[in-house]
Amino acid sequence: MTAVTGLEQAGAVLAAEAARFASFGWMRGTSGNLSVLLSREPFRLAVTAGGHDKGELTAEDVVLVDGRGAAVGGGRPSAEAELHARVARLTGAKAVVHVHTVASVLMGRRQPGGIVLKDLEMLKGIGHPAEGEEVTLPVIANSQDMRVLGDRLEAARDPRMPAVVVAGHGLYVWGDSPRQARHHTEVVEWLLELELAAG
Amino acid sequence: MTAVTGLEQAGAVLAAEAARFASFGWMRGTSGNLSVLLSREPFRLAVTAGGHDKGELTAEDVVLVDGRGAAVGGGRPSAEAELHARVARLTGAKAVVHVHTVASVLMGRRQPGGIVLKDLEMLKGIGHPAEGEEVTLPVIANSQDMRVLGDRLEAARDPRMPAVVVAGHGLYVWGDSPRQARHHTEVVEWLLELELAAG
Amino acid sequence: MTAVTGLEQAGAVLAAEAARFASFGWMRGTSGNLSVLLSREPFRLAVTAGGHDKGELTAEDVVLVDGRGAAVGGGRPSAEAELHARVARLTGAKAVVHVHTVASVLMGRRQPGGIVLKDLEMLKGIGHPAEGEEVTLPVIANSQDMRVLGDRLEAARDPRMPAVVVAGHGLYVWGDSPRQARHHTEVVEWLLELELAAG
Amino acid sequence: MTAVTGLEQAGAVLAAEAARFASFGWMRGTSGNLSVLLSREPFRLAVTAGGHDKGELTAEDVVLVDGRGAAVGGGRPSAEAELHARVARLTGAKAVVHVHTVASVLMGRRQPGGIVLKDLEMLKGIGHPAEGEEVTLPVIANSQDMRVLGDRLEAARDPRMPAVVVAGHGLYVWGDSPRQARHHTEVVEWLLELELAAG
């Protein structure tokens, strides 16, 4: 994928990514949102517009926001754009995925202190060794206040783990590009589905 | 989506919605039916024709009914058209979805007095707060008499909840448009799948 | 669907039905086979050819067999063609579906004496009342001898039930047309998935 | 399928197979890899290139390796290419599939000494009798050292079973062609999903 420089181009990429996640059932209703960084100085993030069916987005269904998630040049970003911007600033990620998966909510309920993973080859897909080391996927409490939610994410996140589970809510996952963020999301969800089925 | 004014246009919209639900496995066999309101005065509702595969509907596979679910101008509506009409009159909804999902039948069996939901961000997708409030999805007993079934739905429904589970049967869900009814259906089904898997 | 009169036309119909079932994961590997009756006097049944991927059949991947499942005019029918022919003769069905589903094998293991179903609207999709009556889906022991398997099916089948579970094997389902057999298959599988998940 | 003689042709075949497995959710992230034999003397195996999304491979995303998994003529094979080559040499297979499925990891965890299967018609799809005989799908411990992993596979494999589960990792499956390897993979995964759901 070449660098994403224009807003409409970013919108097209996000629409394609969203359609893929929607086809997995991870963006039911109008849930979830995706973002990709256009520039870090000044901070400009393209975020999917709220209220749309994520399987039907077009290249225009995107809003440009600054480092606090406020709209730049029009459009009404979803409230969660603030958290996307914070994740991108905090982690250095260039793409953020937020999806609502059943497995993430159930595993967050079962292991509210963090989901422990170990001895799984799939861990390599999120930068961890396949064997011998315990890895914890952080779980944070939900909040409707994006500042509070961001503080929790900042406090709980593990710099070596590109994802956080929000209890009763879903997943935030990030990466260096929309494609890497997608792969991280798929890997984290696979791990959660595995542990959920393990009982 | 622009306002649906003609019967064939309504049929095309319903066919597309039905194909989507069928792809999810929520309309197996020839089960389920969808409707969209054409006018309230006189009351005219377009309902999918009975007996068809819901993944193969065309714009012609639709019947126009009045406020009691009786055909207007030909065609043989399914018996459940009467309930669709009643839901549209009772709730003010402009679109009604009826699907047969495994999760709704199992959760209706497990919690016959109503399915309690709480502290789930996804509740916002059906107009409820994400945190702190218990929400109940009503469950009503099944009946082959549409008047009885409608009475039960009317007695049990919560005006703030755009859905009812019919025990041993499936889901009725509604909204201001076919797309909103779809989103409500996806959200309710997601919640039911979550609670089912929670055990 | 118009009457199926030619072998290639039958092959095209069966290929489309098989691709659909394969997409559901009900014909993994090269498992399962489908058939449609071309004439009853003389008895001529078109059966999908064995050994092929059921998602990749063409109109040519079909064999014509007589009432004992023996090839008429060339081709090598699968051994199970004999059972398809027997089901079509015994039940008067014009189309037979044989698929390998996980739910049918697991439910046959759990309830080897027959799978009891009751108070489910979906039962109407296979000709039974939705309420008040116990319905039993027969389960028969598997055999590699098609005559033995046919005898078991004949002894166990309920004339009011268009399906039999073969233990450790899968489902046989039939109907008046490929489409009706498909709908019966979808309904039976939905019921089995429901009861399996009910635990 | 005609014999695969050229590298790009092999790449096209592997890309199509990978897209299919990816659509099943068996190659999440960039996990898994596929290979097909081009010649045995000298030993030349085409293996999917590492690091790519397996649903987006093109005919160029393939690397040619020798009998030890070392690149021939450029490209950077994945580390697992060595194991693909060893499986093809050891078993005489012409195609090898490596996928990461949830069911294989969970069943390997549940039955680390080998997964016992019996009285299942589906066993015929991997060359075993449907009835009366116990069949064991070997499970081997994972390793990051491909030589160690290959030794374990060689020690544990059953010549009559075209598959091995790697604990905490996934499945290796093989066959006489990419299509047969696909069918073996589908059958093994079906069996694993069945036993997993059987509890």
Side-chain angles (χ1 to χ4, degrees), chain A residues 74-105:
Chain A
R76 197 175 59 82
S78 112
E80 286 167 326
E82 181 182 336
L83 191 53
H84 280 252
R86 186 155 177 186
V87 168
R89 284 189 289 121
L90 181 67
T91 67
K94 290 181 184 147
V96 182
V97 169
H98 171 50
V99 287
H100 289 200
T101 73
V102 165
S104 65
V105 174

Side-chain angles (χ1 to χ4, degrees), chain B residues 16 22-25 39 65 69 105 107 115 136 148 156 169 177 184 189-190:
Chain B
S23 80
F24 297 160
S39 71
V65 303
V105 173
M107 285 305 298
I115 296 152
T136 300
V148 171
H169 189 155
S177 67
H184 288 168
E189 175 66 12
W190 186 96

Side-chain angles (χ1 to χ4, degrees), chain A residues 125-136:
Chain A
I126 45 174
H128 291 276
E131 298 176 79
E133 192 182 307
E134 255 191 21
V135 172
T136 301

Side-chain angles (χ1 to χ4, degrees), chain D:
Chain D
M1 192 180 306
T2 58
V4 173
T5 51
L7 183 59
E8 187 165 335
Q9 191 181 345
V13 168
L14 295 180
E17 294 295 317
R20 176 186 287 256
F21 290 127
S23 79
F24 297 159
W26 301 351
M27 303 190 90
R28 291 295 193 207
T30 63
S31 69
N33 23 63
L34 309 182
S35 63
V36 59
L37 191 71
L38 297 198
S39 71
R40 206 166 283 278
E41 293 292 344
F43 185 97
R44 292 292 180 266
L45 188 76
V47 189
T48 51
H52 289 62
D53 191 300
K54 296 306 186 295
E56 295 177 338
L57 293 182
T58 70
E60 284 76 46
D61 296 324
V62 66
V63 180
L64 192 67
V65 303
D66 65 16
R68 299 180 185 176
V72 177
R76 198 175 58 84
S78 112
E80 286 167 326
E82 181 182 335
L83 190 53
H84 279 254
R86 185 155 176 186
V87 168
R89 284 188 289 121
L90 181 68
T91 67
K94 290 181 185 147
V96 182
V97 169
H98 171 50
V99 288
H100 290 200
T101 73
V102 166
S104 64
V105 174
L106 288 173
M107 285 305 297
R109 200 186 275 184
R110 196 186 285 173
Q111 298 189 27
I115 296 152
V116 179
L117 303 162
K118 194 183 173 188
D119 289 341
L120 290 162
E121 184 78 13
M122 207 64 149
L123 285 168
K124 290 163 72 176
I126 44 173
H128 290 277
E131 299 177 79
E133 192 182 308
E134 255 189 21
V135 172
T136 301
L137 174 62
V139 178
I140 61 174
N142 197 17
S143 174
Q144 299 308 303
D145 182 329
M146 286 304 123
R147 187 161 310 196
V148 171
L149 198 53
D151 288 348
R152 288 177 183 163
L153 188 145
E154 188 164 342
R157 86 169 178 108
D158 173 350
R160 300 171 313 142
M161 172 64 81
V164 164
V165 169
V166 184
H169 188 154
L171 272 177
Y172 273 86
V173 190
W174 48 90
D176 281 341
S177 67
R179 184 174 280 127
Q180 197 197 50
R182 177 214 300 169
H183 291 159
H184 288 167
T185 305
E186 290 188 9
V187 167
V188 168
E189 174 66 11
W190 187 97
L191 290 163
L192 291 168
E193 292 177 7
L194 179 100
E195 295 303 337
L196 181 64

Side-chain angles (χ1 to χ4, degrees), chain B residues 20-137:
Chain B
R20 177 186 286 257
F21 290 127
S23 80
F24 297 160
W26 302 351
M27 304 190 89
R28 291 293 193 209
T30 63
S31 70
N33 22 65
L34 310 181
S35 62
V36 59
L37 192 70
L38 297 198
S39 71
R40 207 167 282 278
E41 293 293 341
F43 185 97
R44 292 292 180 265
L45 188 76
V47 189
T48 50
H52 290 63
D53 191 300
K54 295 308 186 293
E56 295 177 337
L57 293 182
T58 70
E60 283 76 44
D61 297 323
V62 65
V63 179
L64 192 66
V65 303
D66 64 16
R68 299 180 187 176
V72 176
R76 198 176 58 83
S78 110
E80 286 167 326
E82 181 181 336
L83 190 54
H84 279 253
R86 187 156 175 184
V87 168
R89 284 189 288 120
L90 181 67
T91 66
K94 288 179 186 150
V96 182
V97 168
H98 171 50
V99 287
H100 289 200
T101 73
V102 165
S104 65
V105 173
L106 287 173
M107 285 305 298
R109 200 187 273 183
R110 197 186 284 175
Q111 298 190 27
I115 296 152
V116 179
L117 304 161
K118 194 183 173 188
D119 288 341
L120 290 162
E121 183 79 13
M122 207 64 150
L123 285 166
K124 289 164 72 176
I126 45 173
H128 291 276
E131 299 178 79
E133 192 183 307
E134 255 190 19
V135 172
T136 300
L137 173 63

